[in-house]
Amino acid sequence: ITLKEQLEKVQSLYPTVTDFEREFPSICFALATGVGKTRLMGAFISYLYVAKGMKNFFVLAPNLTIYNKLITDFTPNTPKYVFKGIAEIAANQPVIITGENYEDGIGVRKQSLFGEDEIHINIFNISKINSEVRAGNSPRIKRLHEYIGESYFEYLSSLPDLVLLMDESHRYRASAGIKAINELKPVLGLELT
C-alpha cells in the first residue's frame, strides 16, 4: 500500500488531515508539558505489541538528557518504568538497544526453532546523529557492521514492523538527521511534542 493510499484511508476517517509531513505515515500528538509523554509511548508500544503483534520500535530522543531519561524509564525496576503492571510485557521483558550497545549485536534477532517473541526497543539520540551528519560523515549507525554483515540501520530498515516514536519531535523536524530517519522506512511514526 502506498503512502498516498494510506493518507486517503486516514482522510476518509479524519478529513482535516492534509499530509503526513514525512515519507511514512506519521501522527503527531501535541501534549502539555508534564502529562506523561513517556508513559504514552509505553502505552503505544504495549498496545501495538499486544493487539497487533508488533515487536520492533525505534524511540528517538532530541538530546542527551531526554535520551538518558528514556533509557531509564524503559528499564525494568526503575521508579518510572513505563510498562509497570502490564502482564504481557512483564512476562516478556523488552530488549533495550541504545546508541551504546547496538554494535554488540544485542538488537539483531537470531533464527530459533521457537520464533522470537521479545520486543526490541531501540533508543537513539537525534542530536548525536545530527552531529555526525554535519561533519560530512554517514551516521555511525549507517556504517557497515561486520557482526551482522550490513549496517544496523540497514537491518532496522528491513524490519516489516518497525514503529518510530519521536519524543519532542518539534525540536528536530527540519534537522539533517531526520532525513536519515526517513530512510528507516517505518510502518508508522508516532510523534509526541
Side-chain angles (χ1 to χ4, degrees):
I1 186 166
T2 68
L3 187 62
K4 184 178 186 274
E5 292 168 333
Q6 290 172 330
L7 180 59
E8 288 169 356
K9 273 183 162 180
V10 170
Q11 287 173 327
S12 71
L13 297 170
Y14 306 99
T16 57
V17 174
T18 57
D19 191 14
F20 288 129
E21 299 178 1
R22 302 272 184 223
E23 295 176 19
F24 50 88
S26 188
I27 300 166
C28 184
F29 297 83
L31 304 168
T33 301
V35 298
K37 288 189 296 289
T38 307
R39 281 209 153 307
L40 183 56
M41 279 190 237
F44 287 148
I45 291 170
S46 299
Y47 171 77
L48 290 169
Y49 172 68
V50 173
K52 303 295 180 182
M54 298 178 126
K55 299 175 191 157
N56 294 290
F57 301 90
F58 192 95
V59 179
L60 199 54
N63 58 43
L64 187 59
T65 302
I66 294 174
Y67 170 75
N68 288 330
K69 178 189 175 305
L70 287 169
I71 291 170
T72 300
D73 292 350
F74 277 93
T75 300
N77 303 316
T78 56
K80 293 185 178 181
Y81 182 53
V82 297
F83 300 121
K84 193 176 213 167
I86 300 172
E88 293 85 353
I89 306 280
N92 187 20
Q93 292 288 316
V95 175
I96 305 300
I97 303 106
T98 69
E100 286 72 45
N101 70 5
Y102 77 93
E103 290 180 307
D104 299 340
I106 188 173
V108 180
R109 293 186 189 274
K110 296 160 188 71
Q111 295 297 322
S112 77
L113 293 173
F114 307 108
E116 298 294 336
D117 280 339
E118 63 195 11
I119 302 166
H120 282 193
I121 301 173
N122 295 272
I123 303 175
F124 282 80
N125 177 358
I126 190 74
S127 65
K128 184 168 185 181
I129 293 170
N130 282 338
S131 68
E132 292 170 349
V133 170
R134 268 195 302 271
N137 299 317
S138 179
R140 199 174 94 207
I141 191 172
K142 290 184 87 174
R143 296 180 197 150
L144 176 67
H145 191 274
E146 292 176 14
Y147 179 79
I148 59 175
E150 62 186 339
S151 73
Y152 190 61
F153 190 92
E154 289 172 310
Y155 169 76
L156 289 172
S157 67
S158 72
L159 296 172
D161 64 344
L162 185 68
V163 175
L164 177 62
L165 294 102
M166 296 172 269
D167 193 9
E168 300 285 337
S169 64
H170 65 280
R171 294 188 188 192
Y172 47 85
R173 290 191 70 79
S175 73
I178 203 65
K179 291 176 184 150
I181 298 304
N182 278 328
E183 296 171 21
L184 277 175
K185 299 179 270 186
V187 294
L188 177 63
L190 299 169
E191 301 183 41
L192 296 107
T193 192

